[in-house]
Amino acid sequence: QVQLQESGPGLVKPSETLSLTCVVSGYSISISSGYYWGWIRQPPGKGLEWIGNIYHSGSTYYNPSLKSRVTISVDTSKNQFSLKLSSVTAADTAVYYCARLDSSGYYRLDYWGQGTLVTVSS
Amino acid sequence: QSALTQPASVSGSPGQSITISCTETGSDVASYDYVSWYQQYPGKAPKLMIYDVSKRPSGVSNRFSGSKSGNTASLTISGLQAEDEADYYCCSYVGSNNVVFGGGTKLTVL
């Protein structure tokens, strides 16, 4: 059973960098042919927004609207991947989810973490 | 840039069928054949209900079905039940291994 678990600070100050990690269990990121590992966020009371994703090789793909501030990295030795979002403002307050994007003949977000709320406030 | 438009809300009575639409606008969608639908309860992570327009993951009730006509995809829920009350999001592949979400639809079971 594939499981994803987000972790990181729940409170970040404006202008600082938001950092989150997603630990994957039940599946090895390093052999994930056709699978990408992504980040999605959801501001309180609003809809889902795709942030970006990464392949086990380290190739990354970002939402153009966030690209200048986003870095996603992968650590296959720890079976985890990470998100960094720089220069945050209150508009970045959201629940952040990590998920697996299955593109092995389909396109579907088949496994999700439970989500972690990050609040941007001084 | 591509966008997916959903109605903000839909409602139906138990036992009825409802349909949620998802209309694609813009020219960035690499293939509108890769539309998926997610169910989300308050405070919970989204759950995959339909992928590749009309395929259903194992474990998802056959009361949920998906279809597409032109640039509009649809999620139909038949035999509506109280437990179906949730938010529903459509999602489409837009190339370069990125996706875009619709704005979400709140389903109310009357």
Side-chain angles (χ1 to χ4, degrees):
Chain A
Q1 175 76 351
V2 180
Q3 293 184 315
L4 294 88
Q5 178 67 58
E6 307 90 347
S7 64
L11 181 64
V12 181
K13 290 183 169 57
S15 81
E16 294 190 344
T17 296
L18 177 160
S19 296
L20 295 174
T21 295
C22 180
V23 177
V24 180
S25 58
Y27 194 85
S28 175
I29 289 180
S30 62
I31 61 170
S32 60
S33 177
Y35 296 95
Y36 295 78
W37 306 90
W39 290 96
I40 302 102
R41 69 180 183 178
Q42 184 173 36
K46 296 187 178 181
L48 301 168
E49 180 181 31
W50 180 258
I51 299 172
N53 66 74
I54 191 165
Y55 198 52
H56 65 82
S57 63
S59 297
T60 52
Y61 308 88
Y62 300 138
N63 183 329
S65 68
L66 297 169
K67 187 175 183 177
S68 63
R69 299 194 292 131
V70 173
T71 302
I72 297 176
S73 59
V74 64
D75 186 339
T76 55
S77 66
K78 294 182 179 179
N79 217 42
Q80 65 186 38
F81 59 105
S82 300
L83 168 70
K84 290 187 185 300
L85 181 65
S86 63
S87 304
V88 298
T89 69
D92 295 309
T93 293
V95 175
Y96 285 76
Y97 295 100
C98 58
R100 188 177 81 167
L101 173 61
D102 176 6
S103 67
S104 60
Y106 327 97
Y107 269 90
R108 58 187 184 181
L109 292 157
D110 56 354
Y111 291 97
W112 295 67
Q114 65 184 24
T116 186
L117 174 63
V118 179
T119 301
V120 178
S121 175
S122 55
Chain B
Q1 192 167 350
S2 179
L4 301 179
T5 301
Q6 300 179 232
S9 63
V10 298
S11 63
S13 299
Q16 289 185 331
S17 293
I18 64 95
T19 297
I20 300 172
S21 62
C22 174
T23 300
E24 182 271 332
T25 57
S27 58
D28 292 356
V29 174
S31 171
Y32 208 46
D33 288 335
Y34 294 124
V35 176
S36 51
W37 290 89
Y38 301 86
Q39 175 191 63
Q40 186 181 36
Y41 293 116
K44 299 296 185 182
K47 174 188 175 184
L48 176 67
M49 304 301 284
I50 295 288
Y51 66 96
D52 291 0
V53 175
S54 61
K55 297 175 182 175
R56 203 171 40 248
S58 60
V60 172
S61 171
N62 59 10
R63 297 186 298 106
F64 291 82
S65 61
S67 62
K68 180 175 72 76
S69 177
N71 66 338
T72 298
S74 299
L75 172 70
T76 297
I77 308 174
S78 59
L80 206 58
Q81 298 179 2
E83 67 197 49
D84 299 330
E85 185 163 296
D87 294 327
Y88 292 85
Y89 293 89
C90 63
C91 176
S92 182
Y93 172 60
V94 294
S96 299
N97 292 301
N98 277 322
V99 300
V100 64
F101 289 99
T105 299
K106 181 177 180 59
L107 169 61
T108 299
V109 180
L110 302 171

